[in-house]
Amino acid sequence: MKSLRLISALLDYPNCDIWDYPHELIGIVKYCEELSVNQKKTLVQFINKISDLDLMDAQSNYVDLFDRGRSLSLLLFEHVHGESRDRGQAMINLMNQYQEVGLHLSGGELPDYLPRYLEYVSQLNTKDAKEGLKNIAPILALITERLKQRGSYYFELFEVLLALSEENIDSKALHQQVSNEDDDYTPEALDAVWEEEQVRFLGEEGCNSALQHQHQRRFVNHVSPQYLNMSDINGVQQ
């Protein structure tokens, strides 16, 4: 599925490549045969939205959204295992799957980082790719609803992924669950997380590769994640 590789790039930390070649990205959309006409329009509109932003503003917005609190973490196992020992084994298993298709991670990257997982799934045949999306559909649904309630247009990418998974989700139960959650990105919540650790903001390095991976680890070993209640929202309508 070509669309998964494209969405992987769009969900990654904003970098110069995306901003320098928006028209090329839009050109790729028309070759994504697995997408409906409306889904293609959604991706084109998203690309236009982010490319209209200044790169530094886009990077700052990205950090504010995905790196402040764990509720919107793009580390998949954060929503299921947290810091339990099960997460370590799950990481190993996922790394083995990546190696089978010849996917290698850059230094400092974690295997459960969603853009990298989508890159892996994009290399599978259509049947296995859909199964790979089904495996994370409850997490995708949870983040989708949280993004909606945060008023972020990033939810559009997650809605496309969720539709491609063809998984049934009880949207009403999910909405209620998220509505009852405590915010973990407020100044008060962040103060509790960091305690005496100084918060580091993006500087003038822009597209420095170290900054691109720094955000993945920012909340490791901090804050209890809001765990996914999979039994409530996964496949309820089947």
Side-chain angles (χ1 to χ4, degrees):
M1 291 187 180
K2 291 184 176 66
S3 60
L4 299 184
R5 188 66 178 267
L6 175 59
I7 294 175
S8 169
L10 296 176
L11 274 177
D12 211 340
Y13 181 81
N15 59 67
C16 297
D17 291 338
I18 298 295
W19 263 252
D20 289 343
Y21 305 103
H23 298 296
E24 285 77 358
L25 293 176
I26 291 174
I28 293 173
V29 174
K30 67 180 181 180
Y31 294 107
C32 298
E33 299 178 355
E34 66 274 13
L35 298 180
S36 67
V37 172
N38 287 335
Q39 289 170 338
K40 290 180 179 180
K41 288 181 179 179
T42 294
L43 291 187
V44 170
Q45 290 170 356
F46 182 90
I47 294 170
N48 285 329
K49 285 177 184 177
I50 60 172
S51 60
D52 284 342
L53 296 173
D54 177 80
L55 177 55
M56 290 296 292
D57 289 339
Q59 291 172 338
S60 179
N61 292 342
Y62 186 94
V63 171
D64 285 342
L65 190 65
F66 294 115
D67 293 345
R68 294 178 182 267
R70 279 178 164 170
S71 61
L72 293 177
S73 175
L74 296 182
L75 299 175
L76 295 170
F77 297 149
E78 206 57 82
H79 300 279
V80 181
H81 301 301
E83 298 302 323
S84 72
R85 292 183 178 180
D86 291 339
R87 183 176 183 179
Q89 185 58 54
M91 292 279 201
I92 294 172
N93 294 341
L94 194 54
M95 283 291 293
N96 290 336
Q97 291 177 252
Y98 289 177
Q99 291 174 1
E100 289 177 1
V101 299
L103 177 62
H104 302 286
L105 303 183
S106 301
E109 280 194 326
L110 299 176
D112 62 335
Y113 181 48
L114 178 57
R116 214 55 60 233
Y117 179 80
L118 293 177
E119 184 179 349
Y120 155 69
V121 174
S122 72
Q123 300 183 42
L124 306 178
N125 60 52
T126 300
K127 179 180 178 181
D128 290 341
K130 287 185 178 181
E131 186 64 28
L133 290 176
K134 278 181 177 290
N135 290 337
I136 63 169
I139 302 174
L140 296 176
L142 184 69
I143 296 178
T144 300
E145 182 61 31
R146 286 172 174 168
L147 287 169
K148 283 183 179 179
Q149 295 194 23
R150 289 278 296 272
S152 171
Y153 53 78
Y154 268 95
F155 87 87
E156 297 168 346
L157 297 182
F158 284 85
E159 279 199 331
V160 173
L161 292 174
L162 200 55
L164 290 175
S165 77
E166 300 181 352
E167 184 64 286
N168 292 316
I169 299 295
D170 188 334
S171 300
K172 184 177 180 180
L174 182 60
H175 176 79
Q176 186 63 41
Q177 175 183 333
V178 173
S179 297
N180 291 333
E181 292 176 343
D182 294 329
D183 295 335
D184 66 348
Y185 55 87
T186 62
E188 295 79 11
L190 291 171
D191 285 344
V193 173
W194 290 114
E195 298 180 344
E196 297 179 357
E197 184 173 353
Q198 181 179 5
V199 180
R200 291 174 295 175
F201 294 94
L202 290 178
E204 298 178 353
E205 296 178 76
C207 295
N208 186 289
S209 60
L211 285 177
Q212 293 185 24
H213 302 311
Q214 172 184 312
H215 70 89
Q216 296 183 37
R217 303 190 61 83
R218 178 165 293 191
F219 278 86
V220 173
N221 298 323
H222 293 284
V223 183
S224 296
Q226 301 184 54
Y227 291 110
L228 175 63
N229 191 341
M230 298 177 70
S231 61
D232 285 348
I233 65 174
N234 186 17
V236 173
Q237 296 179 345
Q238 291 183 359

